[in-house]
Amino acid sequence: MGLFNVTHPASFLLTGVPGLESSHSWLAGPLCVMYAVALGGNTVILQAVRVEPSLHVPMYCFLSMLSFSDMAMSMSTLPTVLRTFCLNVRSIAFDACLIQMFLIHSFSMMESGILLAMSFDRYVAICNPLRYATVLTNDIITGMGFAVIARSFIILFPLPFLIKKLPFCRSNVLSHSYCLHPDVMKLACADITINSIYGFFVLVSTFGMDLLFIFLSYVLILRSVMAIASNEKRLKALNTCVSHMLAVLAFYVPMIGVSTVHRFGKHAPHYLHVLMSNVYLFVPPVLNPLIYSAKSKEIRRAIVRMFHHIKIRLSYLTSESAVYCGCRV
């Protein structure tokens, strides 16, 4: 118990966009639209994969995992972001901040792991197509999903405790409308070397290694594709990777940007920190369902069929209701 016998603030104060405090109510509209697109779009993807038997294949199982992680990421930030921008309620309890911090970083790491699993799926499908069904069985896919979850939990479990052992005697104002580890640890009035080193270790050993293996998988994919004689078949093989490549760029480019700004951009304008962090958390959950809906004919067809069935069902219920009311009259 003595490990955490240090001074902690009762709460932190969250920050919207510095210099635009008077415009927060106007910014709330676009934020609500982004949350609606992220939650609605990923829900539609999950439901389409669930109800469409032709989508019960490894690639779309991984897509379902990606959509779930995107929804969880959005839900992790939604309460404090909307409270800050819509209600101007900036306070968040210390322990609640640590929980939000853990969830944001955990789901972000899960998304990185899922993108790696999806790159492995594309590698097997293109480089070893005859073994695809035997390599990516349901048990293997389930095991990969559990491994991604377990890795995130185990590696990030120490973060809240590393924060709790730090004393806080300076400002309690955070730089964002949600809690991030680099942002929280900078408010401590003690040596944060251990926190910084551990955070950097987590970044390199998970996100860095995932990105490296994704890059290597695409090197092997390109080598295999270049060996195909037909240009048409080359393009067809590469086209199956476009959605995944766009999702990787949408996730890793902002993530690398925010990590670089936080660690090496101490003299950068504050609005740049806020902008990069918001892009990192808000853009991938919004773009991923749009990317896969636009690029995948199977997903588009499944969504159209799903809404068609819903329309038929609603028409049936409406007619049944009309008949029932007519009988009563």
Side-chain angles (χ1 to χ4, degrees):
M1 294 296 292
L3 179 62
F4 304 124
N5 188 22
V6 292
T7 303
H8 294 149
S11 63
F12 289 111
L13 292 180
L14 300 169
T15 303
V17 181
L20 296 178
E21 288 82 2
S22 60
S23 303
H24 280 180
S25 58
W26 293 96
L27 294 173
L31 285 172
C32 288
V33 171
M34 293 181 72
Y35 276 120
V37 172
L39 296 175
N42 286 294
T43 299
V44 168
I45 294 288
L46 284 170
Q47 184 65 7
V49 173
R50 188 184 71 85
V51 301
E52 183 60 44
S54 63
L55 299 183
H56 295 174
V57 294
M59 181 171 69
Y60 295 111
C61 290
F62 291 127
L63 177 58
S64 296
M65 297 180 192
L66 185 67
S67 293
F68 176 80
S69 68
D70 280 337
M71 289 181 61
M73 174 78 78
S74 296
M75 291 298 294
S76 298
T77 61
L78 186 148
T80 56
V81 171
L82 294 189
R83 283 172 67 231
T84 302
F85 284 89
C86 297
L87 305 176
N88 197 30
V89 178
R90 299 174 56 199
S91 178
I92 180 173
F94 180 80
D95 288 334
C97 184
L98 296 188
I99 292 172
Q100 184 184 53
M101 177 191 75
F102 177 79
L103 292 176
I104 289 174
H105 290 298
S106 293
F107 290 122
S108 179
M109 187 180 294
M110 286 181 197
E111 181 152 351
S112 177
I114 294 166
L115 289 172
L116 174 60
M118 294 175 82
S119 72
F120 178 70
D121 168 82
R122 292 298 82 207
Y123 164 76
V124 176
I126 293 174
C127 299
N128 293 285
L130 298 180
R131 298 186 58 198
Y132 185 77
T134 57
V135 172
L136 288 170
T137 62
N138 289 335
D139 290 339
I140 294 296
I141 295 170
T142 302
M144 292 171 73
F146 278 117
V148 167
I149 296 172
R151 183 187 71 163
S152 300
F153 180 82
I154 292 171
I155 292 180
L156 292 174
F157 184 75
L159 278 187
F161 297 100
L162 289 174
I163 292 293
K164 292 200 77 168
K165 77 179 185 64
L166 294 173
F168 290 81
C169 53
R170 300 172 184 168
S171 171
N172 67 333
V173 180
L174 296 172
S175 301
H176 309 291
S177 52
Y178 40 80
C179 298
L180 295 176
H181 177 253
D183 197 18
V184 175
M185 74 177 183
K186 288 179 181 178
L187 298 181
C189 52
D191 185 12
I192 59 172
T193 302
I194 294 177
N195 296 69
S196 184
I197 291 174
Y198 189 76
F200 185 73
F201 163 76
V202 169
L203 188 67
V204 173
S205 64
T206 55
F207 297 98
M209 294 303 295
D210 289 349
L211 185 58
L212 175 62
F213 284 122
I214 290 172
F215 175 77
L216 291 176
S217 70
Y218 273 103
V219 169
L220 296 175
I221 287 172
L222 286 174
R223 189 179 69 174
S224 180
V225 168
M226 290 300 103
I228 300 175
S230 171
N231 287 331
E232 182 179 352
K233 290 183 178 179
R234 286 182 188 177
L235 292 175
K236 185 177 180 179
L238 289 175
N239 191 52
T240 64
C241 301
V242 171
S243 297
H244 178 254
M245 287 189 289
L246 292 175
V248 169
L249 291 175
F251 178 77
Y252 280 105
V253 171
M255 188 268 291
I256 293 172
V258 73
S259 299
T260 302
V261 168
H262 266 297
R263 294 183 183 280
F264 306 110
K266 295 181 179 180
H267 302 293
H270 187 62
Y271 67 83
L272 183 61
H273 290 255
V274 176
L275 176 63
M276 292 302 299
S277 296
N278 287 335
V279 169
Y280 160 57
L281 290 180
F282 295 154
V283 169
V286 172
L287 285 185
N288 286 339
L290 299 179
I291 289 171
Y292 278 93
S293 297
K295 295 299 298 179
S296 173
K297 293 181 181 179
E298 292 80 5
I299 289 290
R300 289 202 302 273
R301 290 170 182 166
I303 292 173
V304 170
R305 281 194 290 267
M306 182 180 70
F307 280 110
H308 181 65
H309 291 155
I310 292 174
K311 181 180 178 181
I312 294 174
R313 181 62 177 169
L314 289 175
S315 299
Y316 174 77
L317 292 175
T318 302
S319 61
E320 285 289 309
S321 178
V323 170
Y324 177 72
C325 292
C327 291
R328 291 198 62 177
V329 172

